[in-house]
Amino acid sequence: MNLSRLPLAAAVAAGTVLLAAVPAFAHVTVQPGEAEKGGYSTIAFKVPNERDTASTVKLEVNLPTDHPLASVMPQPVPGWDVKVTKSKLDKPLEMHGEKIDEAVTKVTWTGGTIEPGTFQQFPLSVGPLPQDADQLVFKALQTYDNDEVVRWIEEPKEGGEEPESPAPVLALTEAGEGSHGHSHGGADDASGREHDASDRSGKTGDSEQVAADGSDTTARVLGVVGIVIGVAGVTFGVLAGRRRSA
């Protein structure tokens, strides 16, 4: 075996691994990757540009029809136009006591540009998230200005290899105690934390006051003891002087 070729072989192997790993970081994904069941959440579709000579000019996100979302609101993205498409539901949803017979099934962003080597995020406020599902799959289509369309529509299989063009997946977790059906702390939680902080602050202040009072008392006692010792010393000195004179 020619040992001089080992560094070259290692370099080639490392380069192959690196090239194979690059696509894994270039998928269209949903951020954050999880949200609580039954609540509302703000999610964003992160779209990187995978091409060196073309720019992304369109994104279509298809929302799941097996678990339709009653509320879908896009956040404006500077430089991009957004279109929300609604469809009739086979089974109406109930929200705040009202029947909803249509829901958003697709959101499309156009008019902007994602240049090579950059990415863009497209936020949505969605909810209420289903309580009878462990994930939501959002199939996305990414269009480039050279008319190429990348279809991020393959559903990942549990325990299987990652697809070549996986669809963005939002994992759904059980709602935490006291979360009030939201993916983040509500106003009640915040006021509770402020109340606890206030209580702790008050208790800390009382402790500091007690410590200060104790320190002040100790200082007074030490002062009195010092005066007594000083007087005793002076008296002893006077008496000693008289004995020597006698």
Side-chain angles (χ1 to χ4, degrees):
M1 180 177 182
N2 191 344
L3 297 179
S4 63
R5 295 183 179 180
L6 284 178
L8 178 59
V12 171
T16 302
V17 171
L18 180 60
L19 290 175
V22 168
F25 295 97
H27 300 337
V28 173
T29 57
V30 58
Q31 307 288 332
E34 64 179 32
E36 291 183 354
K37 297 179 180 180
Y40 290 78
S41 183
T42 298
I43 59 177
F45 293 92
K46 183 178 180 180
V47 183
N49 194 319
E50 295 184 303
R51 304 295 180 257
D52 295 329
T53 58
S55 297
T56 297
V57 293
K58 182 179 180 180
L59 175 68
E60 297 176 64
V61 174
N62 294 279
L63 280 68
T65 55
D66 55 342
H67 291 94
L69 300 171
S71 175
V72 177
M73 293 187 296
Q75 178 178 325
V77 178
W80 292 81
D81 299 320
V82 60
K83 178 183 178 182
V84 176
T85 303
K86 294 184 178 181
S87 301
K88 289 288 185 179
L89 298 176
D90 296 332
K91 183 180 179 180
L93 297 173
E94 186 171 337
M95 182 177 179
H96 303 305
E98 296 183 3
K99 294 287 186 179
I100 299 176
D101 59 358
E102 65 177 11
V104 175
T105 53
K106 183 169 68 174
V107 182
T108 306
W109 288 270
T110 56
T113 301
I114 306 176
E115 303 289 343
T118 65
F119 73 91
Q120 179 64 57
Q121 295 197 64
F122 300 89
L124 288 178
S125 173
V126 297
L129 298 173
Q131 296 182 334
D132 58 348
D134 294 325
Q135 66 178 25
L136 291 179
V137 179
F138 299 88
K139 297 183 178 182
L141 277 66
Q142 180 180 8
T143 302
Y144 289 87
D145 57 8
N146 60 0
D147 295 330
E148 178 189 5
V149 178
V150 180
R151 301 169 63 83
W152 303 99
I153 61 173
E154 298 180 55
E155 297 188 28
K157 302 297 182 181
E158 185 176 357
E161 294 184 359
E162 185 179 45
E164 183 178 352
S165 299
V169 176
L170 177 67
L172 301 179
T173 62
E174 296 296 334
E177 184 177 354
S179 65
H180 305 292
H182 294 274
S183 296
H184 50 79
D188 293 341
D189 294 337
S191 61
R193 287 193 296 270
E194 292 174 1
H195 181 67
D196 292 342
S198 177
D199 288 346
R200 288 194 296 270
S201 176
K203 291 175 182 177
T204 302
D206 293 343
S207 300
E208 291 175 350
Q209 184 62 42
V210 170
D213 292 344
S215 299
D216 189 42
T217 301
T218 302
R220 291 195 186 101
V221 172
L222 291 176
V224 172
V225 171
I227 293 173
V228 172
I229 293 174
V231 171
V234 172
T235 303
F236 178 79
V238 171
L239 292 176
R242 288 180 180 178
R243 289 193 190 98
R244 285 195 298 271
S245 298

